[in-house]
């Protein structure tokens, strides 16, 4: 059932049921449906531009959204989900120059922003894009636009999204309603979701994990909770009182494990990075009754694989990212041909969840297709039990003394060492070996313990020559370790890195 139909149905059958909350703002399904219909009418009244690369029907408009987790994001995102319009979802944590460049590239029909985003508003004025500060203009739009019936939303573009940009400039892509329709149907079954799966997603709405959590919660008729900004005590309070389900990247999940046990949480979904054994154990202790669903995927591809962890154990070996997601076929390929089981190559997926391609011109890395198969360049292998091991990213391979090393494989081995709570492996230039492996760890261990742990698991050339400890990783806005900053710390011998010596 399309999301617009789902929202209409929930509003008709359970009008007073709570649909979504951010901070002090709470919207029932009837109120959310009403605001969505009014925004549809207001957007239709705007002049339309040409949007090359997007598939939009005549009444549809493209609007940019830079409000982060302001409560106004709820009806605006619901409008993109449920009506013919599309949202260009921009992360307000980006530098102003990057936000302005994104506006210049797509030239949306409208910009919904915050009052204090003055440089962005000035850029919009220069580009003749009407800008609406949501604190003042949105109430006027909602008060004056008619509340017509929700129109049918065709299977066209509804989202202009961006890759996380952790290693390069974020790349724009267009996603169709059809791809998320297929994805929502698959995740409902895979995650065991119902109209009682009230969900807290405490991360940024500009990121795929949280955005998708909003869509799937509304699709199922449950209540979506978000926070204006991440706050672990506030998140814990919501989980105790309102939300039996948590959706969070590992960095936020780790922050919540530092609080008292939360036995009321029954369902956790996490993605964005592989859970290391220490974090998985901490999550099991903090959420003792929860089933934890850990998926591996990509913004461009959707879901790829899934691991399920509960009181009875895990559905896949701990050094893997699980088995193929329902209705998704995986293949390890190189140069247009499939590789045999156990061989390392690019991970390709076949299914209905992938994008068509990037909107960013001259993109030479990341997403590509080979017939029905698509990849973002992640490297992996299929194991004898059908599970998937993640090895790294094409171009991220480290070559030391002429031998290839995939950082993910080493990080997985390091993270399984007792006392280690996090591991990042980088390649540092070396005059004779080409690159040296450097491991940056969180937790508490010794060099002797590390070497004893790694010796039976990795060949000598894959064991890092240098190891340093730190309190916490610098994170990107999507909650992943910021490898650029870590490399800068290494080069500058930053005091936050404490070398681990014998």
């Amino acid at each position: 059932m399309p999301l617009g139909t789902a929202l209409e149905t929930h509003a008709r059958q359970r009008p007073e049921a709570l649909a979504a909350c951010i901070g002090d703002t709470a919207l029932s399904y009837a109120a959310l449906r009403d605001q969505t219909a009014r925004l549809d009418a207001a957007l239709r009244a705007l002049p339309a531009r040409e949007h090359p690369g997007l598939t939009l029907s005549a009444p549809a408009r493209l609007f940019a959204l830079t409000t982060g987790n302001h409560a106004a994001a709820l009806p605006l995102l619901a409008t993109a989900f449920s009506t013919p319009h599309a949202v260009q979802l921009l992360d307000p944590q980006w530098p102003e120059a990057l936000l302005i460049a994104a506006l210049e590239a797509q030239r949306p029909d409208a910009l919904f922003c915050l009052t204090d985003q003055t440089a962005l508003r000035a850029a919009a004025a220069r580009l003749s894009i009407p800008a609406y500060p949501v604190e003042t203009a949105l109430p006027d739009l909602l008060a004056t636009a008619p509340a017509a019936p929700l129109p049918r939303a065709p299977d066209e573009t509804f989202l202009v999204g961006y890759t996380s940009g952790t290693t390069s400039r974020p790349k724009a892509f267009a996603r169709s309603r059809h791809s998320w329709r297929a994805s929502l149907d698959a995740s409902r079954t895979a995650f065991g979701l119902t109209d009682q799966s009230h969900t807290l997603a405490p991360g940024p709405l500009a990121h795929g994990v949280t955005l998708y959590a909003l869509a799937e919660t509304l699709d199922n008729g449950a209540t979506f909770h978000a926070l204006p900004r991440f706050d672990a005590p506030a998140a814990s309070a919501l989980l105790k009182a309102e939300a039996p389900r948590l959706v969070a990247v590992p960095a936020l999940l780790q922050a919540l494990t530092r609080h008292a046990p939360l036995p009321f949480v029954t369902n956790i979904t996490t993605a964005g990075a592989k859970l290391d054994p220490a974090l998985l154990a901490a999550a099991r202790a903090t959420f003792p009754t929860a089933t934890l669903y850990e998926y591996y995927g990509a913004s461009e591809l959707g879901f790829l694989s899934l691991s399920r962890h509960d009181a009875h154990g895990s559905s896949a070996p701990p050094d893997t990212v699980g088995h193929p997601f329902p209705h998704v076929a995986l293949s390890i390929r190189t140069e247009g041909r499939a590789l045999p089981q156990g061989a390392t190559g690019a991970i390709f997926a076949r299914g209905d969840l992938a994008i068509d391609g990037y909107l960013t011109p001259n993109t030479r890395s990341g997403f590509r297709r080979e017939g029905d198969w698509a990849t973002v360049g992640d490297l992996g292998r299929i194991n004898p039990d059908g599970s998937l091991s993640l090895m790294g990213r094409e171009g991220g391979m480290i070559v030391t003394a002429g031998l290839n090393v995939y950082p993910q494989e080493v990080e997985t081995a390091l993270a399984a060492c007792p006392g280690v709570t996090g591991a990042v492996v980088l390649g540092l230039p070396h005059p004779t070996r080409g690159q040296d492996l450097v491991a940056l760890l969180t937790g508490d261990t010794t060099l002797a313990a590390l070497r004893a742990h790694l010796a039976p698991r990795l060949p000598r050339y894959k064991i890092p020559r240098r190891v340093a400890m730190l309190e916490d990783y610098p994170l990107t806005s999507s909650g992943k370790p910021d490898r650029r900053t870590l490399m800068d710390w290494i080069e500058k011998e930053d005091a936050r890195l404490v070398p681990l010596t014998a």
Side-chain angles (χ1 to χ4, degrees):
M1 173 168 64
L3 249 173
T5 305
L7 182 58
E8 193 81 69
T9 300
H10 301 324
R12 183 177 65 254
Q13 295 179 349
R14 302 159 54 238
E16 300 307 315
L18 196 56
C21 305
I22 293 182
D24 296 330
T25 299
L27 294 172
S28 68
Y29 271 96
L32 184 61
R33 181 248 174 250
D34 178 75
Q35 292 190 15
T36 297
R38 292 177 186 274
L39 283 168
D40 167 63
L43 288 166
R44 285 170 182 262
L46 296 174
R49 299 170 181 252
E50 293 292 328
H51 299 294
L54 306 186
T55 305
L56 297 172
S57 55
R61 302 291 184 267
L62 173 68
F63 65 92
L65 184 62
T66 63
T67 60
N69 281 28
H70 189 281
L74 293 174
L76 286 161
L77 290 171
T79 299
F81 293 158
S82 306
T83 72
H85 309 292
V87 59
Q88 180 188 9
L89 188 55
L90 300 173
D91 188 342
Q93 297 302 313
W94 287 356
E96 282 184 345
L98 190 56
L99 290 169
I100 292 170
L103 278 187
E104 292 172 339
Q106 297 302 322
R107 303 290 178 105
D109 301 301
L111 166 67
F112 291 90
C113 58
L114 300 174
T115 302
D116 62 3
Q117 292 174 326
T118 52
L120 197 60
R121 292 167 59 195
R126 175 171 54 82
L127 297 167
S128 300
I129 300 170
Y132 299 94
V134 294
E135 301 96 328
T136 54
L138 190 62
D140 291 341
L141 283 179
L142 294 175
T144 56
L150 283 180
R152 178 182 177 275
D155 283 335
E156 298 176 346
T157 301
F158 82 96
L159 170 68
V160 175
Y162 293 83
T163 59
S164 61
T166 56
T167 58
S168 62
R169 187 184 183 94
K171 295 184 281 287
F173 60 86
R175 182 163 284 287
S176 70
R177 296 179 201 283
H178 169 75
S179 67
W180 265 29
R181 177 71 272 148
S183 184
L184 289 167
D185 291 340
S187 65
R188 182 187 306 110
T189 301
F191 301 147
L193 303 181
T194 71
D195 61 0
Q196 296 303 303
S197 297
H198 308 308
T199 297
L200 168 66
L205 280 165
H207 299 154
V209 171
T210 310
L211 179 70
Y212 187 82
L214 171 62
E216 66 182 356
T217 305
L218 295 178
D219 186 49
N220 286 290
T223 303
F224 176 81
H225 296 270
L227 298 172
R229 62 190 60 81
F230 181 73
D231 179 88
S236 295
L238 278 171
L239 291 170
K240 287 178 181 177
E242 305 288 347
R245 180 179 184 235
L246 171 67
V247 176
V249 297
L252 302 187
L253 182 62
Q254 186 170 48
L256 290 170
T257 63
R258 297 168 184 159
H259 291 260
L262 295 165
F264 306 105
V265 176
T266 58
N267 186 311
I268 299 173
T269 300
T270 186
K274 169 70 179 167
L275 289 182
D276 61 68
L279 178 52
L280 179 58
R284 298 295 309 134
T286 306
F287 307 99
T289 64
T291 298
L292 193 152
Y293 299 91
E294 178 186 8
Y295 72 85
Y296 155 64
S299 299
E300 302 96 319
L301 299 176
F303 299 113
L304 293 177
S305 64
L306 177 67
S307 294
R308 185 176 185 271
H309 311 279
D310 58 23
H312 303 292
S314 299
S315 63
D319 58 349
T320 74
V321 290
H323 292 90
F325 207 85
H327 311 299
V328 173
L330 298 181
S331 176
I332 306 301
R333 305 172 71 82
T334 186
E335 297 179 352
R337 60 184 176 87
L339 295 176
Q341 187 181 77
T344 296
I347 303 167
F348 279 77
R350 184 175 62 193
D352 297 325
L353 311 186
I355 63 171
D356 291 329
Y358 292 125
L359 300 174
T360 307
N362 303 319
T363 299
R364 294 186 175 90
S365 63
F367 180 86
R368 68 180 187 274
R369 286 188 178 272
E370 291 182 4
D372 293 336
W373 298 94
T375 186
V376 291
D378 283 350
L379 300 171
R381 66 168 182 261
I382 302 292
N383 301 304
D385 67 345
S387 61
L388 176 67
S389 289
L390 188 62
M391 310 299 286
R393 173 64 63 92
E394 288 176 338
M397 182 175 66
I398 298 170
V399 181
T400 179
L403 299 168
N404 298 339
V405 179
Y406 300 109
Q408 181 72 45
E409 179 185 18
V410 182
E411 290 169 357
T412 299
L414 286 166
C417 180
V420 174
T421 58
V424 170
V425 172
L426 301 170
L428 196 65
H430 188 275
T432 59
R433 284 187 290 272
Q435 289 177 290
D436 261 350
L437 268 65
V438 180
L440 305 180
L441 308 179
T442 58
D444 183 20
T445 189
T446 65
L447 195 59
L450 274 179
R451 288 172 174 167
H453 172 80
L454 294 177
R457 293 170 172 81
L458 296 174
R460 286 187 62 185
Y461 72 88
K462 293 185 180 181
I463 296 177
R465 288 177 172 267
R466 294 172 53 184
V467 180
M469 307 296 294
L470 66 162
E471 288 292 325
D472 286 301
Y473 294 113
L475 301 177
T476 66
S477 60
S478 56
K480 299 177 182 179
D482 188 335
R483 293 173 182 264
R484 284 183 176 178
T485 298
L486 288 171
M487 183 63 80
D488 185 60
W489 288 2
I490 292 172
E491 293 172 351
K492 294 179 179 178
E493 298 183 350
D494 194 284
R496 283 168 284 199
L497 302 180
V498 180
L500 200 60
T501 62

